[in-house]
Amino acid sequence: MSLIGKNPIVAKFLASHGQSLSEYERMPSQDIHAAIDAGRMVLLANPGHQSVRPTLIGQPARVKVNANIGTSPMISNIEMEMRKLDLAEKAGAHAFMDLSLHGDLDEVRTRFLAASPLPLGTVPLYSVAQRLVRAGKDPSDFSIQDLLDEIAKQAEQGVDFMTLHCGLTARGAAWAADGRRVLGIVSRGGSILARWMKRHKKENPLLDHYDALLDICLAHNVTISLGDGLRPGAGADAGDAAQWEEVSVLGDLARRALEHGVQAMIEGPGHVPLHLVQGQIQGIKRLTNGAPLYVLGPLTTDSAAGYDHIAGAIGGAQAAYFGADFLCYLTPAEHVTLPGPEDVWDGVKASLIAAQSAEVALGRPWAVERDLAISKARADLDWKEITAQALDPQSVCKRRHDHSGERECAMCGSFCAIRMLENPDAAPCKN
């Protein structure tokens, strides 16, 4: 039986939203069904998320962009996080993740779910670890039942996709933490699980109890985002044994999820030098049977602190061109502090630029048409259309404000190259 046959929730959403999805993605419905059945595409939509906008992840559907928001132990302001969610949606994000670590996490999560139709992702391990820390205990002092109960609760609340670090093995964690790497384990969830395994001298509980996790996710159509707990946090660590150990396990877990009727996508790097991006993306895709790939950047340089949204967009464009399906934004605050509202806007826009760049190169019609439309508008000095076709119309309006009555831009003025040849026999332009 196909995945759709085993997953009645996916079947129901396809029946009710299939035509609109087909039109938006410019894909025949039979191609969408075939891709989902093969595990090459997922439909993010938990019926418990009342207003959810069903969203397809997996090329040749449009490359999607995710925005991370949430409280931290040092900066915890739920109203600011609500503002960031609003801006992420207005900026054009297709999904968002709640990575909150401080405050009433149930309240934060349920407010997010009620406020936005964008699919919501979480890392359930964060909630479990946060409760332990608040009680004065070690963040790794949880039982597998604690973790399964949290996953079930969040699934019932309506969370659409969850990062679950099921492929992190004790062997892989040891390889990443024994000094072979420049930067060890940089994933929060990965480090908590590595600590749990080291203290309890047992294998990853999410790996050992994977079938129980699949049952929970199937009941609510929670897409498992198989976390990259050993992603490289430094370019020098990209493609090491620890990373590929985890990826190989993730490929088998994606296969098992598909057989169970559960949707799964793969999380990818991380920090990857530019010349290694193609090999990383294509290698991960091959080892995971073409499952949708959700990447953080990747950042092509480690030295762009304060501008990591740019480093991430460079890597993201390359990654999407070579097959990545879902770009997790980076903001100017990455590696420095908690992103503020303006950082969220800039991060989403940078990732949308990456997606547009890749899709133009791939010949996707919506991307090619947009670039052609704005180029024609520039030839006509049609600022209304230029603004409409821009990935950030608000920025165009802001920068044109003081010269909105002029046909030319303020850089060239009467020396505008386009106007120079409009009527070459006329008198020269005057300053």
Side-chain angles (χ1 to χ4, degrees):
M1 185 183 292
S2 68
L3 182 142
I4 296 173
K6 294 176 182 176
N7 190 321
I9 298 175
V10 170
K12 184 176 180 180
F13 273 115
L14 287 173
S16 60
H17 293 80
Q19 183 175 349
S20 60
L21 288 168
S22 181
E23 290 173 356
Y24 177 68
E25 303 294 355
R26 300 199 191 182
M27 290 181 65
S29 58
Q30 61 267 30
D31 290 355
I32 293 173
H33 286 227
I36 291 174
D37 275 336
R40 297 190 305 272
M41 188 175 289
V42 297
L43 179 64
L44 302 182
N46 179 340
H49 185 174
Q50 295 298 320
S51 62
V52 68
R53 181 183 303 155
T55 300
L56 289 169
I57 307 292
Q59 295 197 50
R62 297 171 190 258
V63 174
K64 305 302 192 301
V65 170
N66 175 77
N68 290 339
I69 58 176
T71 62
S72 84
M74 296 179 69
I75 304 174
S76 182
N77 182 332
I78 188 170
E79 298 308 325
M80 183 176 76
E81 299 308 317
M82 297 302 296
R83 171 66 175 152
K84 286 157 64 174
L85 170 56
D86 181 59
L87 284 174
E89 188 170 347
K90 288 178 178 176
H94 304 95
F96 70 109
M97 289 197 76
D98 172 19
L99 304 185
S100 293
L101 294 167
H102 191 267
D104 185 336
L105 302 193
D106 280 322
E107 179 190 1
V108 175
R109 190 180 315 113
T110 54
R111 285 190 64 179
F112 283 163
L113 285 164
S116 177
L118 299 184
L120 169 64
T122 62
V123 186
L125 182 56
Y126 289 179
S127 296
V128 174
Q130 189 238 22
R131 281 198 299 271
L132 290 167
V133 170
R134 290 178 73 177
K137 298 180 181 179
D138 191 277
S140 64
D141 271 346
F142 58 86
S143 69
I144 182 57
Q145 195 58 52
D146 293 334
L147 194 45
L148 291 174
D149 287 347
E150 182 64 32
I151 292 168
K153 179 181 73 175
Q154 293 192 19
E156 291 170 4
Q157 289 173 335
V159 172
D160 303 286
F161 62 104
M162 297 182 189
T163 293
L164 300 167
H165 300 89
C166 306
L168 175 62
T169 65
R171 181 174 73 166
W175 287 353
D178 67 359
R180 305 184 201 192
R181 282 186 161 188
V182 171
L183 204 49
I185 299 175
V186 299
S187 160
R188 283 194 299 250
S191 66
I192 294 169
L193 280 170
R195 182 177 178 86
W196 188 96
M197 289 186 280
K198 190 170 184 178
R199 293 180 72 235
H200 293 270
K201 296 180 173 54
K202 293 181 179 179
E203 188 51 271
N204 183 346
L206 286 173
L207 180 58
D208 281 347
H209 295 81
Y210 190 60
D211 287 340
L213 189 156
L214 291 176
D215 289 338
I216 295 170
C217 292
L218 179 61
H220 302 274
N221 190 43
V222 172
T223 296
I224 300 177
S225 190
L226 289 163
D228 52 344
L230 300 182
R231 66 177 180 269
D237 297 330
D240 69 351
Q243 182 193 358
W244 289 114
E245 147 87 7
E246 183 177 34
V247 171
S248 65
V249 177
L250 295 182
D252 186 59
L253 293 176
R255 176 191 60 79
R256 288 171 59 185
L258 184 66
E259 292 173 352
H260 205 86
V262 175
Q263 300 188 106
M265 55 187 177
I266 309 298
E267 294 189 10
H271 290 239
V272 180
L274 189 63
H275 65 293
L276 298 181
V277 173
Q278 178 179 0
Q280 283 264 325
I281 300 305
Q282 293 178 338
I284 293 170
K285 277 282 189 175
R286 180 167 179 79
L287 283 174
T288 58
N289 312 303
L293 180 55
Y294 175 24
V295 295
L296 180 65
L299 292 98
T300 53
T301 176
D302 299 345
S303 306
Y307 296 90
D308 277 327
H309 60 311
I310 297 176
I314 292 169
Q318 282 273 305
Y321 179 75
F322 289 115
D325 310 278
F326 196 18
L327 303 181
C328 186
Y329 83 170
L330 292 109
T331 77
E334 188 76 18
H335 298 114
V336 178
T337 188
L338 186 74
E342 187 173 309
D343 295 316
V344 168
W345 184 274
D346 290 345
V348 171
K349 292 303 182 183
S351 290
L352 288 172
I353 292 168
Q356 173 74 7
S357 300
E359 291 182 317
V360 168
L362 290 166
R364 301 288 155 74
W366 53 84
V368 173
E369 289 165 8
R370 186 173 200 160
D371 270 16
L372 184 59
I374 199 169
S375 294
K376 288 180 176 179
R378 285 174 175 150
D380 295 334
L381 294 175
D382 182 349
W383 287 100
K384 182 177 180 180
E385 183 65 11
I386 289 170
T387 302
Q389 295 297 336
L391 288 169
D392 192 348
Q394 181 173 303
S395 178
V396 177
C397 289
K398 181 179 179 180
R399 293 179 182 279
R400 278 281 297 172
H401 182 267
D402 292 339
H403 306 280
S404 58
E406 304 292 336
R407 283 192 68 196
E408 307 88 352
C409 75
M411 182 174 180
C412 298
S414 60
F415 290 92
C416 174
I418 294 169
R419 295 204 65 188
M420 192 68 69
L421 296 178
E422 281 184 343
N423 188 358
D425 295 326
C429 299
K430 294 182 180 180
N431 286 329

